[in-house]
Amino acid sequence: MTLQHKNQRAFRLKVISILSLFAFFLIWYLATDVFHLAPATLLPSPVKAFQTLIVKWTSKKPDGSTLPTHIFSSLRVSVMGFCFGACIGVPLGVVMAWWEPMDIMLKPVFDFFRNIPPIAWIPIMIILLGIGVVAKAAIVFLSAFIPCVVNSYTGIKSVKQVHIWVGQTFGASKLRILFKVAIPSALPYIFTGLKVSLNSSWGCLVAAEMLGSDSGLGYMIQIGRLLCRADIIIVGMIVIGVCGTILSALLDLLEKALVKGDR
């Protein structure tokens, strides 16, 4: 496939993506404002949701904070917990996969904790750390940590043995083979783990904010539910989707910059 054909195909895919998004909002508009298939109190129209978004951008009603404040609160905790989870989880997965004694010692403990859903940690974290930033960051850390370890471990274990043999043949040390052969080969797996971790941490943060918090998008949605404000809930959901998409796109750009030569 030539470069021109690849560009044309990429352009067509982008057009299809935009049209599908437009079709979604059109169907939503027809179902609410035209055919009135559901009461406005249960399913507000996209026009109403957009109006609420504009108003909420500067208004603190009904939850005590503006929309940018909620977004910043959620993003701050999510990025903080995700970065800590990735910075600890990725090296740990690499170490466990590369050195057998560490694998034997740590893998049973990790296999036990990996079966506990991150959301299950929310009540105990609230009891131990309250409803502040630290508790939410700890929950995000746990949700990001496990996928990073799993995928980094899998990536190192998937390195072809022949590549390791070549390094050994040229007299490279085990540590040099790790950094020059194993880790570059495992980067696609590592970034897959980072993407899963990002989605998991974002979702767990919103859940934590809904159960116990005084700010954030999850808290805003919870207040909307208590006040039967479906428009507030939908605005929160849309903003969560947009923020998650932007974070995933930034991670994709980083992956393309680092993994380009390995594909």
Side-chain angles (χ1 to χ4, degrees):
M1 183 181 292
T2 64
L3 180 60
Q4 182 180 0
H5 287 163
K6 288 183 178 180
N7 291 335
Q8 290 177 350
R9 184 173 182 273
F11 176 75
R12 286 197 298 268
L13 292 176
K14 289 181 180 178
V15 171
I16 292 173
S17 299
I18 295 173
L19 290 177
S20 64
L21 192 61
F22 176 78
F24 167 76
F25 283 103
L26 178 62
I27 293 172
W28 181 11
Y29 174 77
L30 292 174
T32 53
D33 276 356
V34 177
F35 297 107
H36 303 288
L37 299 180
T41 54
L42 298 180
L43 182 62
S45 70
V47 175
K48 174 60 177 177
F50 180 75
Q51 291 173 343
T52 301
L53 188 150
I54 298 299
V55 172
K56 194 74 185 79
W57 197 260
T58 55
S59 174
K60 294 184 178 182
K61 297 178 180 179
D63 45 66
S65 297
T66 62
L67 184 57
T69 302
H70 286 307
I71 294 174
F72 175 76
S73 177
S74 294
L75 284 177
R76 180 184 58 168
V77 178
S78 179
V79 172
M80 183 191 309
F82 169 75
C83 289
F84 276 111
C87 289
I88 297 176
V90 171
L92 181 61
V94 171
V95 169
M96 287 172 57
W98 193 247
W99 280 283
E100 188 175 0
M102 294 294 291
D103 191 15
I104 294 173
M105 181 174 62
L106 296 178
K107 196 169 186 298
V109 178
F110 177 76
D111 285 341
F112 171 78
F113 281 102
R114 67 180 288 191
N115 291 310
I116 302 175
I119 295 180
W121 290 94
I122 294 177
I124 190 67
M125 288 300 175
I126 292 176
I127 292 174
L128 293 176
L129 303 174
I131 61 173
V133 174
V134 177
K136 292 184 287 186
I139 294 167
V140 173
F141 167 81
L142 290 171
S143 63
F145 171 75
I146 293 176
C148 284
V149 174
V150 171
N151 284 272
S152 301
Y153 182 92
T154 304
I156 297 296
K157 287 292 187 181
S158 300
V159 176
K160 295 181 179 179
Q161 193 64 38
V162 65
H163 293 165
I164 298 177
W165 290 339
V166 170
Q168 292 172 340
T169 301
F170 282 95
S173 64
K174 190 171 183 179
L175 190 63
R176 187 172 179 82
I177 293 174
L178 172 63
F179 284 98
K180 294 295 183 179
V181 177
I183 291 179
S185 299
L187 277 178
Y189 289 89
I190 292 174
F191 270 97
T192 298
L194 290 174
K195 292 176 184 177
V196 174
S197 296
L198 183 63
N199 293 333
S200 177
S201 61
W202 189 237
C204 285
L205 170 65
V206 173
E209 290 175 341
M210 292 178 69
L211 291 177
S213 183
D214 54 5
S215 63
L217 294 169
Y219 172 76
M220 187 182 79
I221 290 175
Q222 179 71 350
I223 296 300
R225 182 189 71 83
L226 294 175
L227 299 176
C228 297
R229 288 285 303 275
D231 55 331
I232 294 288
I233 297 174
I234 290 177
V235 166
M237 293 170 62
I238 291 174
V239 173
I240 288 169
V242 171
C243 291
T245 301
I246 293 174
L247 292 174
S248 296
L250 292 175
L251 196 55
D252 285 337
L253 291 175
L254 181 61
E255 180 183 14
K256 290 178 180 178
L258 296 180
V259 191
K260 185 176 181 181
D262 297 276
R263 290 180 171 178

